[in-house]
Amino acid sequence: MNETPLIPAGVKRCSKWQFSLWMAAATAVLLWGVYAMYLIWYKGLNQTNMNDAYGFALWIWADLAVIALGGGAFFSGFLTYIINKNELKNIINLAVVIGFICYSSALLILAIDVGQPLRAWFIFWHANVHSMLTEVAFCLSCYFAVLTIEFIPLILENPRLDKKPFLHHLSHNMHGIMAIFAATGVFLSFFHQGSLGGVAGVLYGRPFAFREHILIWPFTFFLFTWSAAAYGPCFTILVTKITELITRKKLVKDNVIHLFAKISGWMIITYIIAKTIDTIYWAFVTAPGFGFTLMDFYASSTYNIGLLFAEIVICGFIPGLILITKRGRENSFLLMSAIILGVIGVSLNRWVMVLQVMAVPVFSFNEWYTYMPSWQEVATTVLPVAYGIIVISLAHRYLPVFPQEKELNPID
Amino acid sequence: MFPFCFEWAWDISHIVFMGGLWYALSIIGAGMTFAIVKSVFDCAGHDDQDHGHH
Amino acid sequence: MKEKNDYKQAKRYGMVIDLDKCTGCGACMVGCYSENNVPFKADETNKLDSINWIRIFKITNDKPYPETETCYIPMPCMQCDGVGKHGHPPCVSVCPAVATDYDYDTGIISQIYTRCFGCRYCMAACPYHARKFNWWDPVWPADMEKYLNPKVSPRMRGVVEKCSFCFHRYQQARDKAYLEKREELAENEYQTACAEACPTGAITFGDLNNKNHAVYKLKNSPKAFRLLERLNTNPKVYYLTSKKWVRRAGDNYLTHEEPGKIKNNMKEHH
Ligand code: SF4
Ligand code: SF4
C-alpha cells in the first residue's frame, strides 16, 4: 500500500516541514483553548465573567455566530442538489468542511457552557418540546450527523483510502444519494437556524428581544434562517479567498464565486428589507406597547444607535447592493469588502440578539449591565478557530476539496 | 424523547416535534444503511475485477 | 408542561407587599437564607453572582433634599402566571429539560435541581432577575452545616435556583391536613419564611383565589400594582404603595402615559 501517495494526484502541496510548522502553530493555540476548557470543566463556570444578569454571553454569541456562518453548507446543498445549480459543485466541498467545523465547534461550546455538562443529555431525554433550545439541540445534533455524512465521501476520496474497494464503493454510493441527505439537511437547518432566532424572540420578559409571532414562531425565527442562508455563503467565499491567499493559487473559478456571490447578494438584500420592516414594527408598535421607546434600548455608550445603523446599512444594504450588481461582485476589492462586511454583519446581529438582550435594563430603576469575558472564555472561543484552521489545512492537503484546482494549476 | 419518558404526552406538540425528529433520523439511518449494504454487495460483485473506476 | 389537573378549586398562592411599611431591614432575606439553605460567598461584594431568593432593591425619587424619598422593594420570584394566565410564565416554557414547572394546584413555579443542567435560558427569560445560578459549590462555615434545614435539599454547583414560596412548608401543611382528614388548609397553616420574618408586617401571604384570605382584599386595593405588569408576566406578587413615583418606577411608561390608565394591548395566547 505504501506506494499510493497520501496527497491527491496532480496537485502540488507545500513541503512536509513547512506544513508541520504551520500545524504546530495552530496546535499551540488549540492547546491554550483546551487548557481553558479543562479549567472550566474542572472548576466550574466561576472561571468565566458571566453573572446572574449575563447568563448568556460570549459563548452563546459564538454558538449563534458559527452556526450562521456555517449556514453556507445547507444553503449550497440546497442550491446544488435541489435547485441544480451545478457550478456550485466546485465550492460545495469547502462549504461542507466549514459547516462540519462550525457545527462541531458549536456542540463543543455548548458542552462547555452548561453548568452540569454530565447532564447535558437531559435536553434530549427529558426534552421539553415547547422550548426553542430543545429544537436547537435536536436539529443541531441531527444536522451535524448529516454534515458528517456529507464529509465522509470527501474523506474517502483520499487516494490511499480510495484504494480500499469497500471505501471506494461506499464513497460512490453515498454520493449517489447525497441529494436525500442534503434535503434532510435543509429541513433540519431551516428549523434550527430559525429556533436560534426563536431563542431570543420568544422572551416576552425581555422587550429588546421579543418579537411578534406567526403561529408559534416569532419573526426572529424566519429572520435567522434567512440571514444564515444569506450570509453563510459570504463566509464560504471568504474562506476560499483566504485559502487561495495562503496557498498562493487559484482554487475556484471566478464564475462559480460570482454566481454564489450573486445569490448571496439577493438573499442579503431581501433579508435586510425584511429585517428593516421587522425593526420598524418592533420599534414603533411592539416596544411602545411595553412602555419602551426605541432609544431606551440604545441609551448606553456601548450599545448606541450606531450599532443598529452598522448592522442594517453598513453590513446589510451595502454588501447586498455590491453583490447584486455585476460590476460590484466582479471587482475583486468590492467583492472582498462586501463579503467581509457580510460576515461582520451577521456576527453583529447575533451579538446584539444575545448580549444586548442581557445588557438592556428592564426595570426603570436599573442601570445597564456590563460584561467583559474572562481569558478562559476567550480562549475557549478561539479554540474553534484553531481547530478550524487545522481541519481545513488537513482537508486541503490530503483531500480533493477543490475540484477545479488541477485545471487551474496544471503541473507540467 | 421516547414515549416512556415521563414528561411525554400524546399531544399535538409532541407528535409534531418528535414526529419530525424521528422522520429525519429514519431518513438519515435508512440512507446510510442503504449506502453501506450496497457497498458490501458491490464489493462482492467486483471482487475479481479491477477497482478504482466509477 | 403536563396536562392541567382538574382539581375542583385550584389555589393561586400569592403575596402582597406593602411598600409603605417596608423599612428595608432585610429580615425577610435572613429568614429566607436560613429557611431554604441558600448558600452565600465569603465575600458578598459582587451582588451579581450572589444567591438570594428574595432581595431588596432600594429606589429613590431622584429629587434633591428636602424632597428626597426612598423606597425599598423586596423581590422574591413573582411566581408569574404568564401570558394568557395558562401557566405559561416567561421562564417555564423555555426550559429545554422540563426542570422548572408550573404547578396548577398552587400556581407555584417549581425548580428541579437534579434535573436542571445549567443552560441558564430561564435566567435570560426572567425579567425580574429572580433566578440565580450556582457559580460555586455551596460551602457553609463548618458549624453552620449543623443548622441547615433538613426539609430543603441544598443545591449543587452549576444549577439554577429561585424562590419556591417555601414549597416544603406547603407540603408539610398538606401532609398534616391529610392526616387530620381535612381538604383545606387554613390561612396561617402555610406561610412563607419571609412573611413570618417581617417585623413590620409588610408581607402578607395567602391564596389569591380565596375570598377569606387577607391577600384577596389587599390585591384589590387601589394602592395595589405589580412590577413590570405591562410585559404580561402576570405576577402573583402584588405591591401596595401610596406614592405615585413608586408606582411609576414599578413599570416602564412612555412620557405621556399614566400608570393605571393603560389598556393592555397584547393578545393572549398559549
Ligand atoms: S419571576 Fe422570573 S423566575 Fe419567577 S416565575 Fe416570573 S419569570 Fe419565572
Ligand atoms: S438552567 Fe436549568 S431550569 Fe433553567 S432553563 Fe436551563 S435546564 Fe431549565
Side-chain angles (χ1 to χ4, degrees):
Chain A
M1 281 306 208
N2 277 347
E3 66 274 16
T4 320
L6 259 176
I7 289 174
V11 295
K12 210 167 154 322
R13 292 289 177 263
C14 66
S15 69
K16 232 181 205 155
W17 69 266
Q18 210 178 352
F19 186 70
S20 311
L21 212 66
W22 167 256
M23 292 298 270
T27 310
V29 179
L30 183 90
L31 289 177
W32 178 54
V34 170
Y35 173 62
M37 186 168 86
Y38 158 79
L39 280 181
I40 290 156
W41 273 336
Y42 185 68
K43 296 191 171 174
L45 292 180
N46 49 52
Q47 299 293 300
T48 70
N49 275 351
M50 287 190 280
N51 56 46
D52 291 336
Y54 257 106
F56 278 5
L58 185 70
W59 285 329
I60 298 288
W61 165 73
D63 258 321
L64 265 61
V66 292
I67 289 170
L69 297 173
F74 91 87
F75 193 53
S76 60
F78 172 73
L79 294 171
T80 315
Y81 294 110
I82 297 173
I83 315 203
N84 287 322
K85 293 265 175 217
N86 277 322
E87 293 97 315
L88 296 182
K89 283 228 158 91
N90 298 306
I91 200 166
I92 193 169
N93 285 347
L94 181 69
V96 165
V97 177
I98 296 174
F100 178 85
I101 295 166
C102 288
Y103 278 78
S104 45
S105 308
L107 288 170
L108 177 72
I109 296 178
L110 280 178
I112 304 174
D113 193 27
V114 297
Q116 286 277 344
L118 293 179
R119 294 182 193 165
W121 55 281
F122 286 7
I123 200 170
F124 302 112
W125 196 263
H126 298 301
N128 169 14
V129 294
H130 302 274
S131 170
M132 287 288 167
L133 216 54
T134 308
E135 198 171 322
V136 170
F138 273 107
C139 290
L140 205 84
S141 326
C142 292
Y143 184 53
F144 177 61
V146 170
L147 279 168
T148 312
I149 290 173
E150 291 184 338
F151 193 11
I152 290 173
L154 181 65
I155 299 179
L156 297 181
E157 273 174 45
N158 175 280
R160 209 173 276 177
L161 294 175
D162 194 48
K163 269 289 237 182
K164 310 224 190 300
F166 175 73
L167 296 183
H168 172 81
H169 287 298
L170 185 61
S171 157
H172 180 72
N173 289 331
M174 285 174 77
H175 263 307
I177 50 170
M178 204 43 84
I180 298 177
F181 291 127
T184 316
V186 172
F187 169 79
L188 293 167
S189 290
F190 177 80
F191 282 102
H192 76 249
Q193 295 281 5
S195 301
L196 280 172
V199 164
V202 297
L203 302 179
Y204 68 90
R206 298 280 189 165
F208 180 76
F210 181 76
R211 293 296 189 279
E212 303 294 331
H213 287 48
I214 300 174
L215 299 174
I216 56 165
W217 295 293
F219 288 169
T220 46
F221 182 97
F222 306 98
L223 290 175
F224 266 51
T225 307
W226 204 334
S227 56
Y231 292 104
C234 286
F235 189 63
T236 314
I237 298 176
L238 182 65
V239 175
T240 312
K241 291 288 173 193
I242 294 174
T243 316
E244 286 183 344
L245 203 73
I246 294 176
T247 58
R248 273 165 288 151
K249 55 189 157 199
K250 201 152 179 53
L251 297 169
V252 179
K253 285 186 186 165
D254 280 339
N255 67 324
V256 178
I257 298 277
H258 292 159
L259 173 69
F260 209 21
K262 178 176 155 192
I263 298 174
S264 169
W266 280 109
M267 290 295 289
I268 293 178
I269 281 292
T270 46
Y271 159 73
I272 212 73
I273 291 173
K275 167 83 190 166
T276 309
I277 296 172
D278 168 71
T279 307
I280 291 174
Y281 190 84
W282 161 74
F284 295 106
V285 182
T286 315
F290 292 142
F292 286 86
T293 64
L294 177 66
M295 289 316 287
D296 289 339
F297 298 130
Y298 293 96
S300 115
S301 48
T302 327
Y303 294 110
N304 56 46
I305 195 80
L307 223 52
L308 189 64
F309 180 77
E311 186 193 330
I312 293 187
V313 179
I314 302 178
C315 301
F317 280 108
I318 292 180
L321 289 174
I322 293 177
L323 295 180
I324 57 171
T325 45
K326 196 164 158 38
R327 272 264 197 76
R329 62 178 176 267
E330 288 182 0
N331 173 318
S332 65
F333 171 75
L334 285 178
L335 175 73
M336 278 308 277
S337 317
I339 58 176
I340 291 174
L341 283 178
V343 168
I344 296 175
V346 72
S347 310
L348 186 62
N349 170 264
R350 299 318 194 240
W351 181 274
V352 161
M353 290 312 277
V354 176
L355 283 107
Q356 194 169 351
V357 174
M358 301 293 119
V360 175
V362 186
F363 281 124
S364 63
F365 45 84
N366 263 13
E367 297 293 317
W368 281 70
Y369 290 102
T370 54
Y371 152 85
M372 193 43 112
S374 69
W375 75 262
Q376 290 92 329
E377 287 176 87
V378 175
T380 40
T381 307
V382 171
L383 188 156
V385 180
Y387 154 75
I389 291 174
I390 293 176
V391 174
I392 292 183
S393 308
L394 287 171
H396 174 253
R397 189 175 175 84
Y398 297 115
L399 309 174
V401 175
F402 300 100
Q404 292 174 323
E405 183 184 356
K406 264 191 232 178
E407 188 191 334
L408 287 166
N409 307 276
I411 5 181
D412 9 60
Chain B
M1 183 171 181
F2 301 103
F4 53 78
C5 293
F6 75 77
E7 48 276 288
W8 183 283
W10 287 102
D11 57 10
I12 186 81
S13 328
H14 278 79
I15 293 169
V16 172
F17 185 101
M18 292 297 167
L21 169 81
W22 289 110
Y23 177 67
L25 282 178
S26 328
I27 292 182
I28 299 172
M32 275 316 285
T33 316
F34 169 79
I36 293 172
V37 170
K38 185 155 185 295
S39 308
V40 172
F41 278 104
D42 287 353
C43 277
H46 287 258
D47 246 358
D48 21 38
Q49 288 164 36
D50 210 6
H51 314 303
H53 297 287
H54 286 275
Chain C
M1 290 284 109
K2 261 177 279 161
E3 291 310 297
K4 201 168 168 160
N5 292 329
D6 58 358
Y7 281 84
K8 266 175 237 111
Q9 217 211 338
K11 310 274 181 287
R12 265 180 81 239
Y13 281 105
M15 209 174 252
V16 180
I17 304 177
D18 191 339
L19 299 179
D20 293 341
K21 288 187 187 162
C22 175
T23 61
C25 71
C28 52
M29 289 181 71
V30 177
C32 178
Y33 268 90
S34 58
E35 176 72 22
N36 291 300
N37 300 336
V38 179
F40 46 86
K41 302 172 286 179
D43 173 5
E44 283 281 358
T45 326
N46 181 5
K47 296 288 182 291
L48 282 176
D49 53 18
S50 299
I51 301 184
N52 34 41
W53 288 11
I54 181 168
R55 71 225 181 284
I56 300 173
F57 277 77
K58 177 186 176 186
I59 62 170
T60 79
N61 63 348
D62 277 332
K63 287 208 178 135
Y65 180 82
E67 275 121 71
T68 317
E69 285 183 3
T70 307
C71 175
Y72 296 96
I73 311 183
M75 255 190 242
C77 163
M78 304 284 141
Q79 312 291 350
C80 309
D81 277 343
V83 170
K85 302 183 179 146
H86 287 311
H88 177 65
C91 56
V92 165
S93 56
V94 299
C95 175
V98 207
T100 181
D101 205 0
Y102 183 89
D103 177 26
Y104 284 98
D105 297 344
T106 56
I108 295 175
I109 288 91
S110 65
Q111 178 70 13
I112 311 165
Y113 315 119
T114 47
R115 174 73 78 81
C116 170
F117 65 100
C119 70
R120 304 181 302 287
Y121 191 15
C122 53
M123 295 172 65
C126 170
Y128 302 97
H129 301 288
R131 291 177 165 270
K132 306 286 165 165
F133 187 72
N134 281 273
W135 300 98
W136 288 270
D137 279 307
V139 217
W140 281 272
D143 280 352
M144 257 194 90
E145 285 207 351
K146 295 179 194 146
Y147 296 90
L148 290 182
N149 183 349
K151 299 268 166 17
V152 179
S153 59
R155 283 70 62 183
M156 58 296 280
R157 182 179 90 190
V159 304
V160 165
E161 60 181 77
K162 69 162 192 74
C163 157
S164 67
F165 269 0
C166 295
F167 196 74
H168 57 287
R169 291 186 170 201
Y170 171 74
Q171 288 170 315
Q172 267 177 285
R174 291 279 312 177
D175 288 350
K176 184 158 169 279
Y178 180 79
L179 288 176
E180 292 166 5
K181 304 210 163 33
R182 275 185 292 128
E183 268 291 314
E184 292 295 320
L185 298 182
E187 189 176 5
N188 62 359
E189 269 186 303
Y190 168 38
Q191 286 293 319
T192 60
C194 52
E196 286 182 349
C198 180
T200 63
I203 304 180
T204 316
F205 181 79
D207 177 6
L208 298 168
N209 278 350
N210 190 330
K211 290 200 174 70
N212 302 319
H213 283 199
V215 285
Y216 185 87
K217 265 158 264 147
L218 289 174
K219 81 166 165 79
N220 292 325
S221 137
K223 290 202 302 180
F225 72 102
R226 296 177 293 175
L227 292 174
L228 302 178
E229 226 170 336
R230 300 185 74 181
L231 299 178
N232 296 293
T233 46
N234 257 314
K236 284 196 287 291
V237 175
Y238 288 76
Y239 291 89
L240 302 177
T241 183
S242 51
K243 303 212 167 84
K244 253 194 169 154
W245 70 268
V246 174
R247 177 87 191 248
R248 192 171 181 96
D251 210 332
N252 295 284
Y253 298 98
L254 304 178
T255 7
H256 65 270
E257 290 174 337
E258 271 301 314
K261 298 212 175 88
I262 303 184
K263 234 184 76 217
N264 219 329
N265 58 356
M266 230 181 83
K267 356 174 229 324
E268 302 210 328
H269 71 268
H270 300 273

